[in-house]
Amino acid sequence: MNNVDDIEVSAAAQNASEPRPEDGAAVAAAKTEDPAAARLRVERALTANHANTLPMLEILRACNEARPYRDIEDDVYDLPVMQLSHQNAHALSLLLVKAGALEQIPVEEPQPAESAAAGVDASAGDAQPALVDQPVDYLLVITEAGREALADFDPVKRYGRMLAGEPSSYRAIYRKVLSLCEQGISMDDIEQALAGIPAMRTPKTVYAGHFVSNLETVDGIRWADGLWTITTHGQAMAEV
């Protein structure tokens, strides 16, 4: 995967609640550009800041169908991976829109007659209207380039590519770490369990943190309540 400099989001972008013309233009450009270029644009956004990769992937998964953006943000808010990023779900979704991985679909505001039916008196002037739900503003849905990137960033596929770049003797160590994390385990206990394994010293000296960090990167294990714990994806990786 290609890495680029981290993408910065302005405070205005983070607080924006209305679809912006430039976002629509970005999606329109993505639709007309070469598919390979569109995929590369999304790939760069996903890998620009590795702390954002897993949270962004969860947002893409939540956008399989067109849905109000607030519903999507609510769905991913409490996911453990969202704690990895310094950006909130709204800011990350805007980055994905800019990259052409998500499309914003504007939703027209209710007309006066519709507002009245919802409990708002359009002729009441300064009178306090009845409380109603916030407007939808826009929907979010994954684009074709986003779907292709999501498939390419499948955790088990990423794990397989990672293994291909590692010494073959490391495969058993990764499996051992995944097994150790089935019930939750501390870093100290992982280090003790791996101590003395020959592959930790040959062809070069490597430490337990190498395996833990790589497995976290591909969403095989997660840090939760002071312990490293295997994920559903990690259970599938253990079978590779």
Side-chain angles (χ1 to χ4, degrees):
M1 300 296 171
N2 295 322
N3 294 332
V4 296
D5 293 336
D6 192 9
I7 302 174
E8 295 183 357
V9 181
S10 67
Q14 293 188 44
N15 295 325
S17 60
E18 296 288 343
R20 297 170 299 166
E22 60 266 32
D23 294 332
V27 174
K31 287 181 177 179
T32 58
E33 69 181 334
D34 177 72
R39 287 195 301 272
L40 181 59
R41 181 203 298 267
V42 175
E43 180 182 298
R44 284 175 170 170
L46 289 171
T47 58
N49 182 342
H50 290 292
N52 293 341
T53 302
L54 295 181
M56 282 180 158
L57 291 173
E58 289 294 352
I59 292 172
L60 288 178
R61 293 187 184 103
C63 296
N64 190 51
E65 297 179 352
R67 302 172 57 204
Y69 77 91
R70 289 191 181 93
D71 290 354
I72 293 166
E73 292 173 12
D74 288 344
D75 282 355
V76 303
Y77 181 82
D78 289 325
L79 295 179
V81 295
M82 299 306 294
Q83 299 177 18
L84 298 174
S85 176
H86 293 298
Q87 305 282 9
N88 60 29
H90 190 69
L92 293 175
S93 68
L94 290 180
L95 288 176
L96 289 168
V97 170
K98 284 186 174 182
L102 292 179
E103 179 178 2
Q104 287 177 328
I105 304 175
V107 175
E108 294 184 6
E109 294 184 5
Q111 298 301 313
E114 296 172 335
S115 298
V120 179
D121 185 354
S123 63
D126 294 332
Q128 186 69 28
L131 293 177
V132 295
D133 290 339
Q134 289 181 302
V136 172
D137 295 332
Y138 62 87
L139 310 179
L140 283 176
V141 66
I142 194 169
T143 64
E144 185 59 32
R147 289 186 191 280
E148 292 179 0
L150 190 57
D152 191 50
F153 275 72
D154 173 79
V156 178
K157 288 183 179 179
R158 295 182 73 198
Y159 176 65
R161 291 194 293 267
M162 181 190 72
L163 286 179
E166 298 267 82
S168 59
S169 57
Y170 286 6
R171 181 183 294 264
I173 300 178
Y174 280 112
R175 284 180 177 170
K176 185 173 182 64
V177 174
L178 288 168
S179 177
L180 290 169
C181 293
E182 287 181 355
Q183 302 300 323
I185 187 172
S186 69
M187 188 64 191
D188 286 344
D189 287 341
I190 293 176
E191 290 174 344
Q192 291 181 17
L194 300 186
I197 296 178
M200 298 287 288
R201 298 290 179 265
T202 304
K204 64 179 180 179
T205 298
V206 65
Y207 300 96
H210 171 84
F211 302 96
V212 169
S213 177
N214 283 348
L215 285 172
E216 181 187 26
T217 297
V218 297
D219 202 16
I221 59 176
R222 290 177 185 169
W223 180 254
D225 300 324
L227 299 173
W228 287 106
T229 306
I230 195 169
T231 65
T232 301
H233 301 306
Q235 292 172 348
M237 293 172 193
E239 302 299 323
V240 174

